[in-house]
């Protein structure tokens, strides 16, 4: 009989932690809920910050776009922001005059004639060299790859004078072919470095299986490696195209002064006709639109190529 009270007293003693446990559970739930709310607030603040940064980043492009639709007199009286209160001042006459300017329209075609071949050559040659450095055995392969990596740090300015003398002696100075070759030469080290690292991540078993099926090196490269390297090739193509399209230094030195690319043509318009804003604004906007169109057209492949090795 005496054990029963002891048992009954021990029972409450054993059950006493339960209220403490039940009181601790709401505390943990409250803390986790607080962390979730804080995380949402933090992510929302980050998103707002990124939106604000993006808006400020796009203000110059928006100002250039609106300026291209303003008459010269309106631009002389005020900035592009006057369109926000008087949208009726917008006009497309500037683009009509731009199409009548043979210098600007011809320079756009000249830029295409330089940027497209320089991009394609870098893609083709860089893909072949990257595959060779990644999967082919030949004497001095590692040392040659180190040399390619070392060429990445060579600035363009160092080669201007010696290459000018070389192009002058072989008749390539002030020619489109000379500009294309210069951009190709300086774009290849980065192309080989990028594509070699990307191709090296292809599983060896996949290549060996293709070889067992009778595929030679060229067929293996065309049917297996290139399809898998599509994202890296797209990323490289975007980088190279943007660099060549927006380049002014190389074009100013090596391009034909009578048929310059758009960057040099716009610079000449500023120097000769400082108040020719009705041609400069639409011309500059068109020269900026083309790279943007290329980037957004291959945006998915670009992101895939950039992030290809990030999770390995």
């Amino acid at each position: 009989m005496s054990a029963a009270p002891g048992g009954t007293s021990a029972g409450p003693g054993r059950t006493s932690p339960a209220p403490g446990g039940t009181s601790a559970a709401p505390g943990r739930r409250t803390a986790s809920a607080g962390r979730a709310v804080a995380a949402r607030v933090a992510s929302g603040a980050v998103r707002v910050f990124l939106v604000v940064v993006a808006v400020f980043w796009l203000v110059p492009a928006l100002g250039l776009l609106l300026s291209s639709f303003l008459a010269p007199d309106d631009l002389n009286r005020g900035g592009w922001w006057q369109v926000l209160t008087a949208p009726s001042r917008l006009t497309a006459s500037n683009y009509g005059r731009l199409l009548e300017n043979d210098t600007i329209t011809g320079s756009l075609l000249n830029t295409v004639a330089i940027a497209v071949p320089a991009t394609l050559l870098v893609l083709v040659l860089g893909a072949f060299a990257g595959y060779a450095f990644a999967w082919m055995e030949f004497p001095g392969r590692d040392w040659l790859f180190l040399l390619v990596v070392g060429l990445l740090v060579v600035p363009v300015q160092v080669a201007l004078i010696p290459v000018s003398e070389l192009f002058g002696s072989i008749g390539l100075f002030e020619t489109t072919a000379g500009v294309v070759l210069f951009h190709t030469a300086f774009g290849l080290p980065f192309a080989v470095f990028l594509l070699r690292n990307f191709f090296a991540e292809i599983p060896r078993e996949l290549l060996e299986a293709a070889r067992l099926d009778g595929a030679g090196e060229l067929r293996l490269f065309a049917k297996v490696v290139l399809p898998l390297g599509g994202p890296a090739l797209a990323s490289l193509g975007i980088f190279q195209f943007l660099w060549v399209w927006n380049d002014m230094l190389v074009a100013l030195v090596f391009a034909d002064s009578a048929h310059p690319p758009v960057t040099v043509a716009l610079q000449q318009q500023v120097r000769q006709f400082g108040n020719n804003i009705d041609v400069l604004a639409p011309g500059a906007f068109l020269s900026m639109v083309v790279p943007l169109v290329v980037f957004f057209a291959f945006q998915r492949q670009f992101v895939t190529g950039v992030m290809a090795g990030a999770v390995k």
Side-chain angles (χ1 to χ4, degrees), residues 179-290:
V179 182
V180 171
L181 289 177
F182 191 94
H183 282 300
T184 302
F186 272 85
L188 276 176
F190 176 73
V192 174
F193 174 76
L194 176 67
L195 295 179
R196 182 265 179 191
N197 292 338
F198 190 90
F199 292 160
E201 295 178 352
I202 298 176
R204 181 181 294 273
E205 293 78 9
L206 183 62
L207 301 181
E208 292 178 351
R211 289 192 178 96
L212 290 176
D213 291 338
E217 293 296 335
L218 186 60
R219 185 178 180 183
L220 180 66
F221 174 75
K223 299 295 184 180
V224 179
V225 175
L226 283 185
L228 293 176
L233 290 171
S235 301
L236 175 62
I238 291 175
F239 277 125
Q240 178 70 9
F241 183 85
L242 294 182
W243 176 52
V244 177
W245 185 276
N246 294 320
D247 171 75
M248 182 176 176
L249 177 61
V250 177
L252 193 62
V253 175
F254 295 102
D256 187 359
S257 57
H259 303 89
V262 65
T263 52
V264 178
L266 291 174
Q267 185 265 345
Q268 291 175 351
Q269 292 286 319
V270 172
R271 185 179 60 207
Q272 296 176 3
F273 310 105
N275 58 353
N276 200 11
I277 191 63
D278 57 328
V279 174
L280 292 176
F285 183 75
L286 286 180
S287 68
M288 183 181 65
V289 164
V290 175

Side-chain angles (χ1 to χ4, degrees), residues 46-227:
V46 171
R47 291 178 181 177
V48 171
F49 174 75
L50 293 178
V51 169
V52 172
V53 171
V55 170
F56 277 102
W57 188 270
L58 292 175
V59 165
L62 177 62
L64 182 62
L65 173 61
L66 296 179
S67 298
S68 67
F69 285 99
L70 283 175
D73 295 337
D74 293 331
L75 282 173
N76 292 331
R77 285 195 296 266
W80 58 266
W81 47 86
Q82 60 186 303
V83 177
L84 301 178
T85 57
S88 59
R89 296 181 179 179
L90 295 176
T91 177
S93 59
N94 292 343
Y95 286 91
R97 284 190 290 271
L98 176 67
L99 296 178
E100 297 173 357
N101 190 314
D102 296 335
T103 301
I104 300 298
T105 54
S107 66
L108 289 172
L109 297 178
N110 295 333
T111 306
V112 173
I114 293 173
V116 173
T119 302
L120 293 179
L121 283 174
V122 167
L123 289 177
V124 173
L125 298 178
F128 277 112
Y131 174 74
F133 279 116
W135 293 109
M136 296 181 68
E137 297 289 342
F138 55 89
R141 184 188 66 173
D142 296 336
W143 288 105
L144 286 176
F145 184 70
L146 289 177
L147 177 62
V148 171
V149 174
L151 291 176
L152 290 172
V153 301
V154 177
V156 175
Q157 294 82 355
V158 173
L160 292 179
I161 295 178
V163 174
S164 297
E165 296 178 352
L166 174 63
F167 283 179
S169 62
I170 62 178
L172 289 178
F173 192 74
E174 288 197 352
T175 62
T176 300
V179 182
V180 171
L181 289 177
F182 191 94
H183 282 300
T184 302
F186 272 85
L188 276 176
F190 176 73
V192 174
F193 174 76
L194 176 67
L195 295 179
R196 182 265 179 191
N197 292 338
F198 190 90
F199 292 160
E201 295 178 352
I202 298 176
R204 181 181 294 273
E205 293 78 9
L206 183 62
L207 301 181
E208 292 178 351
R211 289 192 178 96
L212 290 176
D213 291 338
E217 293 296 335
L218 186 60
R219 185 178 180 183
L220 180 66
F221 174 75
K223 299 295 184 180
V224 179
V225 175
L226 283 185

